C-alpha cells in the first residue's frame, strides 16, 4: 500500500516536473538535428527521451565556469545526451549526484605516474570530462557541442562520463555497473575481460579501431569508451565487439542498430 502511494506520488511529481521543464518544439528539433544519434525509430522512445531530458533538467544543477553562458541549448544538449543511456534503466540511476560543472575549454589535470622502477613522473593531462563518485560531473562544452561531428569516430564525452556514473553506482569504478536482474556478473566480467585484452593488443599494434584507443588504459575506461561507441557508432562497434555489444544491449535495454532510424545509420 505504502509502495503504491509512493509510486503514485513520485509519478505525479515527475509529471509536474516534465511540464514545468517542457522543452520547446523548435529547440528539441534543433537538438535532434545537431545530434542525430538521439533520434529514435519508435515514437514512444522518442517521447520518453524528451520526457527524461526534462526531468534531468529539473533534478540537476548546471554550473558554467570561465565566462561560459548557461543557455537552454547548452543545458538541453547535455541533458538529452545524458538521458540516452538511461532511457530504459531510468533516471534514478543518476541519483548519486546533483551538480554538473561545464568548462569553456579543456581542463588540464596534473597527474603522477610511478613507473616499474618506482620513479614518479608528473605530467599534464587535458580532460574533456570527468566523473567522480558523488559528483559533480565535469564536462568541456566544445567537446559536447561537437558530438554530432565526432559520432562517426565513436566519440561522445557525455555518454563516456555518464557510463562512469553508472559504473560507480555500486561503489567501484571497475567496468561493472549495477546489472539488472537476469544478467550474470560472471558472464559480463568474462566478456569484458576477453574483449579488453584483445583491444589492448590491437591498440599496442597500432591497429585502426572502432573504439577510442583511450579505452586501452583500464577496464573501466574500456566500458565507458565501448558505451560511447555503442550509442553513437553502433554498426562499427557491433562488427568489432559482437559479444560486448550483446552485453551492453542487455544492460542498457536498447539496441541502437535497430533503434536508430535507418537514415541516421546510413548517413555514415
Ligand atoms: Zn573515462
Amino acid at each position: 500500500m505504502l509502495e503504491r502511494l509512493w509510486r503514485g506520488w513520485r509519478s505525479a511529481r515527475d509529471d509536474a516536473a516534465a511540464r514545468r521543464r517542457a522543452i520547446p518544439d523548435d529547440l528539441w528539433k534543433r537538438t535532434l538535428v545537431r545530434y542525430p544519434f538521439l533520434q529514435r525509430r519508435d515514437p514512444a522512445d522518442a517521447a520518453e527521451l524528451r520526457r527524461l531530458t526534462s526531468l534531468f533538467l529539473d533534478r540537476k544543477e548546471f554550473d558554467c565556469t570561465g565566462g561560459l553562458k548557461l543557455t537552454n541549448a547548452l543545458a538541453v544538449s547535455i541533458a538529452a545526451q545524458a538521458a540516452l543511456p538511461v532511457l530504459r534503466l531510468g533516471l534514478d540511476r543518476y541519483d548519486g549526484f546533483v551538480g554538473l560543472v561545464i568548462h569553456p575549454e579543456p581542463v588540464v589535470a596534473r597527474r603522477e605516474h610511478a613507473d616499474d622502477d618506482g620513479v614518479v613522473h608528473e605530467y599534464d593531462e587535458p580532460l574533456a570530462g570527468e566523473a567522480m563518485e558523488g559528483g559533480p560531473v565535469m564536462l568541456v562544452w566544445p567537446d559536447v557541442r561537437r558530438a554530432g561531428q565526432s559520432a562517426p569516430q565513436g566519440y561522445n564525452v557525455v555518454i563516456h562520463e555518464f557510463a562512469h556514473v553508472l559504473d560507480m553506482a555500486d561503489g567501484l569504478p571497475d567496468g561493472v555497473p549495477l546489472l539488472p536482474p537476469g544478467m550474470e556478473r560472471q558472464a559480463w566480467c568474462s566478456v569484458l575481460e576477453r574483449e579488453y585484452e584483445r583491444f589492448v593488443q590491437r591498440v599496442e599494434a597500432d591497429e585502426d579501431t572502432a573504439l577510442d584507443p583511450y579505452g586501452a588504459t583500464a577496464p573501466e575506461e574500456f566500458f565507458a569508451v565501448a558505451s560511447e561507441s555503442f550509442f553513437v557508432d553502433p554498426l562499427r562497434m557491433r562488427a568489432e565487439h559482437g559479444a560486448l555489444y550483446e552485453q551492453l544491449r542487455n544492460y542498457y535495454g536498447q539496441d541502437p542498430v535497430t533503434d536508430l532510424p535507418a537514415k541516421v545509420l546510413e548517413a555514415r
Side-chain angles (χ1 to χ4, degrees), residues 101-142:
V101 180
I102 324 297
H103 293 269
E105 53 194 31
V107 174
V108 177
R110 196 87 184 119
R111 302 288 200 212
E112 282 187 356
H113 166 73
D115 66 20
D116 293 343
D117 300 322
V119 180
V120 176
H121 301 270
E122 285 196 353
Y123 61 100
D124 289 334
E125 186 184 17
L127 301 175
E130 192 167 44
M132 280 163 284
E133 209 185 336
V137 173
M138 186 276 279
L139 294 165
V140 170
W141 173 237

Side-chain angles (χ1 to χ4, degrees), residues 179 183 187-188 191 194-195 230 234 237-257:
L179 297 173
M183 281 193 78
W188 176 278
V191 169
R194 202 173 57 229
E195 302 233 5
F230 174 77
M237 194 274 166
R238 190 178 67 171
E240 291 190 20
H241 297 276
L244 185 60
Y245 185 95
E246 285 294 296
Q247 290 292 325
L248 294 183
R249 194 189 65 174
N250 292 336
Y251 170 62
Y252 287 112
Q254 303 184 56
D255 186 349
V257 168

